Amino acid sequence: MNLLSNQWFLLLVSGIFLGFTGMNWNISIFAWFAFVPLLRYVRLGFSFKLLFLSLILIQIFSTMRIVSEPFHVWIGIISGIQAGIVFSLLLWIWNLIRKQYGMIVSHILFFSFTCTNLEWIGAYHSDLGVWGMLANSQLGNLVLLQSASLFGATGVSFVLYLFNGTFEQMLSELLDQKQISRSTRLYISFTLIFVVSLYFYGTFRLSLPITGKQIKVATITTKMDIQSLWKNPVENNKNTELTIEKTKIAAKEGAKIVVWNEGAVLVSKEKESDLLKSLVSMAKEEKIELVAAYIIQIKDNEFFFDNKLVWLSNQGQLRQTYHKQFIVPFEPVSKIHSEIQSIETEFGKMSVAICYDFDSLKVSDVHSESGSGITLIPASDWKGINPFHTEMATIRGIENGSSIVRSARSGLSGIFDAYGRAKGTLDYFEENDGILVSSVSTSKINTLYSQFGNWIVGIGLFHFVFSGFQILRIVRKNRIRAQN
């Protein structure tokens, strides 16, 4: 047991846990204990300088799991440093509250709500969006993820942080005091009942059929990267012809909706109208709803584009022209505002987004509020985030009660129902024709999250306000005593 009081052992274990939590090579069970060694380390009063340096190295190592072209190593290093600073500051504040105000403020709840609310801020207001959410570590745990329909991914993260904080408190009391206090026993009981209840809820929810009509949808994936299309006009023309041919094949297989991957076709400004004419004609002839995503080269010899999609009805009418709204840092595309809307079709209400758009809760919540029953997402990933990025989008579907169709170059294309269950997937890096056809419901399921949003964050804010008043009261009382 001395190892659990050894600073080097605690840092090593936390490095392993955090290093393989979330993203690729994710070991989901690690998330339930990832912060226990760190909280224990801080509780024992070990060096914060060492902790700070260790967390930076751990986070850099962790981020390296998604590094491959076009995501460069230096971006991973910067991201790791940022995460290390945030975690170090959070742990320092937690320890300060625990030592000075532990008798009046629950440091377990303080830790859980602080982490959860920071995630919420990042998911709405940072360029990284939902990438920092601990809930992403549970992507293989579909039963637990059903609780996102109750309180969103922030709520799932809260459960994980609560378990970490409670377990560390129990462990430290057993090691240091040889007994567990009454308050800690209450936290253990509440946490276990809470977690088990969520598992029962998830199991029950998954047993219920999704009502409403199902239709066949298709994803079309091009096998050429954007650099190749840009450099080689001949191959670009071949790619355009092949993408159109694949679309026709999907229609013949019964698809009523066809979604291209992001930037499936590269076209010049001068030839865009010709492309649109051919797409309108194809949508009418094949009687398909077509979401055709393509990029337009803005200037000659410059790798910079307009990134857009056109959504055509099965009558060849233009339903929507949409540009990517939530742009990846340093992505060479223009920022053009587009309205996010759900459009009523004969199959139900549907909406569109482009790739990284669905990594922002600010964007994905609009889809839910507008009543979309299915979101069609052209995307373009890279090997380092495959299949993780597509799987992340399924949480937005569970939150919003909508099906997700995501067509991805250099990633996993997938058709998922409103429970996050895969109705069909196709991996870009496996040998296939790039055509995926499957049936999925277009009916929206009402969820508590779609009605009340991140209400768990609201409880956290109330906790901070209440705790703040308690701390101020004690500080004031101590000040009066000192004056007397």
Side-chain angles (χ1 to χ4, degrees):
M1 285 304 206
N2 287 337
L3 284 176
L4 296 176
S5 297
N6 181 286
Q7 62 176 338
W8 298 107
F9 179 78
L10 293 172
L11 289 175
L12 175 63
V13 173
S14 65
I16 294 172
F17 283 173
L18 287 175
F20 295 97
T21 293
M23 298 185 289
N24 283 352
W25 309 344
N26 172 56
I27 301 176
S28 59
I29 191 66
F30 281 2
W32 295 88
F33 306 96
F35 291 93
V36 172
L38 293 174
L39 294 172
R40 174 74 178 157
Y41 177 99
V42 173
R43 180 189 292 270
L44 293 174
F46 293 131
S47 169
F48 256 97
K49 288 183 180 179
L50 179 59
L51 176 67
F52 175 68
L53 293 173
S54 299
L55 279 173
I56 287 176
L57 290 174
I58 289 169
Q59 291 301 321
I60 290 174
F61 166 76
S62 180
T63 308
M64 288 301 162
R65 288 178 290 150
I66 66 171
V67 170
S68 65
E69 288 296 332
F71 190 90
H72 297 293
V73 171
W74 64 269
I75 300 178
I77 293 173
I78 292 174
S79 299
I81 292 172
Q82 289 176 336
I85 292 171
V86 170
F87 279 130
S88 297
L89 182 61
L90 187 151
L91 290 168
W92 181 82
I93 295 173
W94 171 81
N95 195 45
L96 179 69
I97 295 294
R98 182 189 66 82
K99 290 196 299 184
Q100 295 192 13
Y101 306 107
M103 296 301 294
I104 58 172
V105 176
S106 167
H107 50 275
I108 293 176
L109 289 181
F110 180 83
F111 170 75
S112 305
F113 281 126
T114 300
C115 292
T116 301
N117 285 28
L118 282 174
E119 282 193 1
W120 173 75
I121 292 170
Y124 274 91
H125 302 292
S126 82
D127 290 339
L128 291 178
V130 298
W131 276 86
M133 283 192 159
L134 194 59
N136 295 332
S137 66
Q138 302 304 298
L139 282 170
N141 191 347
L142 202 54
V143 173
L144 178 64
L145 284 181
Q146 297 310 301
S147 59
S149 66
L150 299 175
F151 42 41
T154 52
V156 178
S157 292
F158 173 78
V159 173
L160 295 168
Y161 289 124
L162 178 65
F163 188 92
N164 271 269
T166 302
F167 189 86
E168 188 277 335
Q169 179 71 18
M170 178 193 72
L171 181 66
S172 291
E173 287 186 358
L174 280 174
L175 292 174
D176 302 335
Q177 302 169 21
K178 310 304 180 186
Q179 61 179 355
I180 302 174
S181 66
R182 180 176 179 276
S183 62
T184 301
R185 289 200 300 271
L186 289 174
Y187 269 109
I188 294 169
S189 300
F190 171 78
T191 301
L192 290 178
I193 291 171
F194 189 29
V195 171
V196 171
S197 298
L198 293 177
Y199 270 87
F200 271 115
Y201 168 77
T203 300
F204 174 73
R205 189 171 193 258
L206 287 170
S207 72
L208 301 175
I210 296 176
T211 58
K213 184 179 179 181
Q214 296 197 3
I215 61 168
K216 279 189 176 182
V217 298
T219 67
I220 301 300
T221 308
T222 60
K223 292 289 187 176
M224 289 192 68
D225 61 83
I226 294 174
Q227 284 276 3
S228 299
L229 299 179
W230 180 61
K231 291 177 180 178
N232 193 326
V234 175
E235 290 300 313
N236 182 38
N237 290 334
K238 287 182 181 178
N239 174 71
T240 302
E241 293 172 2
L242 184 58
T243 302
I244 291 173
E245 183 61 32
K246 287 180 179 181
T247 304
K248 293 178 179 179
I249 293 173
K252 286 180 173 56
E253 291 183 12
K256 301 299 181 184
I257 303 171
V258 179
V259 184
W260 291 3
N261 65 258
E262 179 183 10
V265 169
L266 169 63
V267 63
S268 65
K269 278 187 176 182
E270 296 76 22
K271 294 184 178 180
E272 183 184 13
S273 60
D274 293 335
L275 174 66
L276 288 176
K277 286 177 184 177
S278 65
L279 296 181
V280 167
S281 175
M282 179 172 59
K284 288 172 65 177
E285 289 176 8
E286 304 296 339
K287 293 182 172 55
I288 55 171
E289 296 278 334
L290 175 61
V291 177
Y294 58 91
I295 52 176
I296 303 172
Q297 188 165 348
I298 298 174
K299 296 179 182 178
D300 292 338
N301 302 318
E302 184 178 346
F303 195 73
F304 194 86
F305 310 96
D306 280 344
N307 188 352
K308 65 188 290 188
L309 65 79
V310 292
W311 177 4
L312 303 172
S313 75
N314 51 21
Q315 301 299 315
Q317 297 172 328
L318 179 64
R319 290 196 186 276
Q320 187 178 12
T321 298
Y322 179 87
H323 292 82
K324 191 173 189 176
Q325 295 302 288
F326 192 55
I327 297 174
V328 180
F330 310 110
E331 186 177 7
V333 299
S334 54
K335 176 79 172 181
I336 301 174
H337 176 73
S338 292
E339 183 183 358
I340 300 168
Q341 55 184 310
S342 293
I343 297 176
E344 191 72 58
T345 73
E346 62 183 283
F347 308 115
K349 270 193 169 185
M350 302 190 292
S351 60
V352 295
I354 297 179
C355 197
Y356 204 58
D357 286 346
F358 244 53
D359 291 345
S360 167
L361 289 187
K362 186 184 292 185
V363 173
S364 63
D365 280 358
V366 177
H367 289 262
S368 176
E369 292 163 4
S370 62
S372 176
I374 181 170
T375 302
L376 314 170
I377 310 174
S380 188
D381 294 335
W382 63 86
K383 195 168 186 178
I385 59 173
N386 178 51
F388 188 76
H389 200 193
T390 291
E391 293 170 346
M392 279 170 58
T394 64
I395 303 182
R396 309 286 82 76
I398 296 170
E399 289 174 335
N400 300 338
S402 63
S403 299
I404 299 292
V405 178
R406 193 173 191 272
S407 179
R409 170 198 278 115
S410 300
L412 183 74
S413 295
I415 300 167
F416 303 89
D417 67 17
Y419 293 162
R421 297 179 300 197
K423 311 300 284 186
T425 59
L426 195 70
D427 195 319
Y428 174 93
F429 297 101
E430 295 177 353
E431 194 171 328
N432 53 64
D433 60 4
I435 304 171
L436 171 65
V437 181
S438 187
S439 297
V440 74
S441 173
T442 59
S443 301
K444 179 176 173 59
I445 298 175
N446 289 323
T447 65
L448 193 66
Y449 177 83
S450 62
Q451 297 295 316
F452 299 102
N454 293 280
W455 54 268
I456 201 81
V457 173
I459 295 176
L461 292 174
F462 175 80
H463 170 76
F464 294 143
V465 171
F466 179 77
S467 298
F469 277 121
Q470 291 287 87
I471 291 172
L472 286 174
R473 184 175 61 84
I474 294 298
V475 169
R476 186 179 178 186
K477 187 181 291 185
N478 291 339
R479 201 173 279 171
I480 292 172
R481 284 177 181 171
Q483 289 174 352
N484 294 335

